[in-house]
Amino acid sequence: MSSILIKGGTVVNADRSFGADVLSQDGKIVAVGENLTAPAGATVVDALGQYVIPGGIDPHTHMQLPFMGTTTMDDFFTGTAAGMAGGTTTIIDFVIPNPQQNIMEAYQTWRGWAEKAASDYSFHVAVTWWDDSVRRDMGTLVQNEGVNSFKHFMAYKNAIMCDDETLVNSFKRCMELGAMPTVHAENGELVFLLQRQIAEMGITGPEGHPLSRPTGVEGEAANRAIAIADVLNVPIYVVHVSCIEAAEAIARARARGQRVYGEVLAGHLVVDDSVYRHPDFATAAAHVMSPPFRPKGNQEFLWRGLQSGNLHTTATDHCTFCAAQKAAGKDDFSKIPNGCGGVEERMAVIWDAGVNTGRLTPSEFVAVTSANTARLFNIYPQKGSVSVGADADLVVWDPAGTKTLSAKTQHSKGDFNIFEGRTVRGIPSHTISQGELVLVQGDLRAVQGKGRYIKRAPFSSNFAANKLRAETMAPSAVKR
Ligand code: URQ
Ligand code: ZN
Ligand code: ZN
């Protein structure tokens, strides 16, 4: 394994930034300090005038996802390679069992697919149905496989949508195991009814998609999931918060002391619903994802959520379908495969629209692109920190570097870019993954299969044990 000395940069962690050199050896950070000397044979990277930040973590991707009758364009190699081109060195993807499918079988399938990953990866596991075997297998996944988060889709009726029985039982099980429940918060019954109503009005084009998923559909589900979590006294993480109603639901709950966390997609921060009114079907359909891009005004509210600390992480929901795949919905918008890309562009878009505008400090940028995800999913400081002992997942960030984002130059195998034509200032000049240089001034050196599966320990299960103890010690339980 190689040694790399990053000289002359400004280290930026979520808590502070300071001038220091960074030395990595055998895939770990071994020194952070001033005037470090390079051991024999080390590669030296000149970081003068640049920042040295923890590798980005994207907590929401779908590589090689079979969905809506097709499979996403990016697999675990091309998707993680694209991520590293943009400074993301770890993804948390999703195992999504079919209803009634054994979740251990689904987990093994996804583990097989991910072996070709070029960067480190981990998995949330979706609970799409419920019986005692699911309850049992959730325990196996936590205790033996390093899974500490379980996803619940409240949308996608007649497919992977959870009913309240599944939500309630699975949230309770998460509590017992010390795992984080997460939700896709859209009321799938409302979507199903609105899709049919809109079709009956003769609307078949992509403009029907946002009409069938208004912000109230997301607000209702976010409030319901938060209320269930509150009654069961379990933390909850809401993925791809896209609108004011959902962000307010989180802020209200947090103001009452409830442990609720929110994730925002780079796309939802800068793209609005005007894209669905584009006359070209392929362009409008390329933006069909759920929750949809929202009317102007929602974006600024999401930025305020990140600034206020009521929203915590940023992600992409990278789930790429090409024009031919999106054309499945040519005559019926509800058949357009839902998903967009972004894994390569996330960090530059958030730096350009966040730090360059003064919305975020560099440390807050690190928090929302890496450290907060590491903390919430219990892999901090192995990930999400430039500190001795952490994995040598590092980005040398050039605040003066510029790039125009385009499908023509992206590394994703998708054929569309929702940030097409956006020129950003602030890009990675070097990405280091597991102590190896994988990006050097635009030259991507991703290696298929190099990525590792990252286990994530459960949160303190003492809490569950203590609660149990309290119940058994309650006066009524004490024998006279
Ligand atoms: O809902 C999700 O997160 C997956 C199925 C990706 N597609 C999407 O439209 N967000
Ligand atoms: Zn989703
Ligand atoms: Zn998703």
Side-chain angles (χ1 to χ4, degrees):
M1 299 279 262
S2 59
S3 296
I4 301 175
L5 177 60
I6 304 171
K7 287 283 294 174
T10 298
V11 170
V12 183
N13 280 318
D15 58 346
R16 70 188 183 108
S17 58
F18 53 100
D21 301 337
V22 180
L23 177 63
S24 78
Q25 259 166 359
D26 297 338
K28 290 286 186 186
I29 296 172
V30 295
V32 179
E34 296 184 9
N35 305 319
L36 298 184
T37 51
T43 302
V44 179
V45 174
D46 177 3
L48 201 59
Q50 299 187 70
Y51 296 108
V52 183
I53 65 175
I57 308 173
D58 189 336
H60 193 151
T61 61
H62 299 283
M63 308 306 178
Q64 205 159 334
L65 175 70
F67 188 57
M68 294 181 72
T70 186
T71 299
T72 55
M73 291 299 289
D74 281 311
D75 62 22
F76 279 89
F77 171 55
T78 62
T80 50
M84 293 196 293
T88 290
T89 54
T90 303
I91 63 170
I92 308 183
D93 207 282
F94 292 84
V95 174
I96 307 181
N98 292 315
Q100 307 304 319
Q101 180 186 13
N102 174 281
I103 62 176
M104 292 311 296
E105 176 196 289
Y107 169 75
Q108 294 304 343
T109 299
W110 256 267
R111 285 290 309 269
W113 292 344
E115 281 175 8
K116 61 174 79 112
S119 76
D120 285 354
Y121 59 91
S122 193
F123 283 114
H124 310 287
V125 176
V127 176
T128 55
W129 63 291
W130 188 259
D131 75 0
D132 279 348
S133 75
V134 175
R135 188 181 186 287
R136 177 200 64 216
D137 292 347
M138 288 172 74
T140 306
L141 287 166
V142 170
Q143 279 131 26
N144 302 351
E145 301 295 333
V147 172
N148 73 12
S149 50
F150 290 94
K151 173 73 170 295
H152 307 80
F153 290 93
M154 300 171 76
Y156 305 126
K157 179 178 170 65
N158 298 330
I160 52 178
M161 182 173 99
C162 282
D163 59 15
D164 279 5
E165 178 193 8
T166 300
L167 289 178
V168 164
N169 283 291
S170 184
F171 281 23
K172 180 172 180 295
R173 184 61 169 148
C174 288
M175 164 77 176
E176 291 164 3
L177 296 168
M180 177 78 83
T182 80
V183 290
H184 171 133
E186 286 185 300
N187 182 313
E189 296 292 353
L190 277 173
V191 172
F192 187 69
L193 184 143
L194 291 171
Q195 283 176 336
R196 281 177 296 144
Q197 260 182 330
I198 287 154
E200 282 154 16
M201 292 160 67
I203 298 174
T204 60
E207 71 279 11
H209 179 70
L211 299 176
S212 68
R213 311 177 97 102
T215 54
V217 162
E218 184 179 344
E220 185 280 332
N223 276 294
R224 177 155 48 100
I226 290 168
I228 292 171
D230 194 24
V231 168
L232 296 177
N233 191 25
V234 63
I236 185 167
Y237 177 96
V238 184
V239 307
H240 50 42
V241 175
S242 77
C243 66
I244 293 170
E245 286 88 331
E248 281 181 334
I250 295 171
R252 262 195 312 276
R254 289 181 59 82
R256 294 197 316 269
Q258 190 177 344
R259 293 189 189 286
V260 182
Y261 306 100
E263 172 194 281
V264 188
L265 303 187
H268 284 139
L269 284 166
V270 298
V271 178
D272 65 57
D273 67 344
S274 59
V275 296
Y276 298 116
R277 296 185 284 278
H278 197 287
D280 170 44
F281 169 85
T283 301
H287 289 91
V288 168
M289 67 158 296
S290 295
F293 296 106
R294 297 301 189 182
K296 284 192 187 315
N298 285 277
Q299 298 73 25
E300 188 55 35
F301 203 89
L302 297 175
W303 281 111
R304 295 301 176 102
L306 291 173
Q307 291 167 248
S308 66
N310 280 319
L311 297 174
H312 305 86
T313 64
T314 61
T316 61
D317 202 354
H318 188 89
C319 186
T320 46
F321 299 104
C322 65
Q325 292 173 301
K326 292 278 189 173
K330 192 92 182 77
D331 303 318
D332 174 356
F333 65 82
S334 71
K335 300 275 189 300
I336 298 173
N338 284 206
C340 297
V343 75
E344 180 171 354
E345 295 82 13
R346 173 179 67 117
M347 295 176 77
V349 166
I350 290 169
W351 182 279
D352 186 59
V355 178
N356 292 345
T357 60
R359 287 180 169 124
L360 298 175
T361 65
S363 281
E364 288 165 343
F365 170 82
V366 166
V368 302
T369 59
S370 184
N372 286 354
T373 289
R375 289 181 185 128
L376 286 171
F377 295 109
N378 215 12
I379 48 178
Y380 184 88
Q382 177 195 351
K383 305 288 187 187
S385 171
V386 181
S387 53
V388 173
D391 286 355
D393 291 351
L394 295 156
V395 183
V396 180
W397 191 265
D398 178 2
T402 63
K403 180 174 186 179
T404 299
L405 306 176
S406 172
K408 297 183 191 65
T409 52
Q410 70 188 18
H411 290 87
S412 163
K413 282 179 62 185
D415 59 5
F416 194 85
N417 191 308
I418 59 173
F419 307 109
E420 186 70 40
R422 176 180 290 264
T423 297
V424 293
R425 180 167 47 84
I427 57 175
S429 63
H430 298 74
T431 300
I432 293 165
S433 171
Q434 299 180 59
E436 303 282 342
L437 275 166
V438 293
L439 177 77
V440 178
Q441 304 291 4
D443 173 22
L444 185 60
R445 305 168 179 176
V447 176
Q448 181 161 323
K450 191 79 171 48
R452 299 168 303 177
Y453 173 67
I454 300 299
K455 289 195 166 188
R456 293 175 286 120
F459 297 90
S460 158
S461 49
N462 301 340
F463 181 78
N466 293 343
K467 187 170 175 301
L468 202 60
R469 196 170 303 120
E471 281 162 3
T472 50
M473 289 302 287
S476 57
V478 175
K479 296 284 173 283
R480 295 259 171 257

